């Protein structure tokens, strides 16, 4: 398996500075700022990118686990909410809430919930972020 890369360039001090985040594939080349991270400024931020990675990874892991159990998903839509908060003298990612809604023909809710939880526990990004509390709300769409 390949190793994935991303680069960050930051210019200036924390509050007034600006930066650029770029993925090795070239799929992303985005500005980021402190205001985008701590307020409602333009650009992206590390937490938003973590949320995107987690939502994408979880949806893929859930699809894989469903397939292994004999189910084929029509759709899996996941939102990851990454909380960034002041803690002591610094900041921390304090929790991640995964919210998923999926349309899976032929599955009952108990099996759906069990497999959704397995996906949360088995998702590689969930494993990488395991030091942070991760919650899951899974809704079966009928």
């Amino acid at each position: 398996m390949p190793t994935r890369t991303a680069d960050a360039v930051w210019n200036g001090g924390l509050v007034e500075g600006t930066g650029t985040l770029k993925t090795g594939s070239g799929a992303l080349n985005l500005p980021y700022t402190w205001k985008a991270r701590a307020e409602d400024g333009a650009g992206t931020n590390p937490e938003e990118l973590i949320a995107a990675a987690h939502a994408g990874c979880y949806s893929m892991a859930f699809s894989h686990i469903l397939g292994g159990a004999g189910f084929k998903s029509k759709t899996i839509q996941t939102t990851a909410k990454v909380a960034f908060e002041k803690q002591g003298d610094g900041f921390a990612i304090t929790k991640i809430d995964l919210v998923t809604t999926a349309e899976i023909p032929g599955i009952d809710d108990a099996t759906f919930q069990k497999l959704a939880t397995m996906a949360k526990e088995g998702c590689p990004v969930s494993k990488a972020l395991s030091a942070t509390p991760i919650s899951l709300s899974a809704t079966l769409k009928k």
Side-chain angles (χ1 to χ4, degrees), residues 56-66 115 118-120 122-124:
C57 184
Y58 175 82
S59 292
M60 292 174 81
F62 194 16
S63 178
H64 176 68
I65 287 173
L66 285 162
L115 298 178
M118 287 174 61
K120 181 189 89 148
C123 162

Side-chain angles (χ1 to χ4, degrees), residues 58 77-81 97-101 135-139:
Y58 175 82
Q77 192 281 321
T78 305
T79 300
K81 300 174 183 179
D97 297 323
L98 292 173
V99 179
T100 194
T101 302
S135 70
L136 172 65
S137 172
T139 302

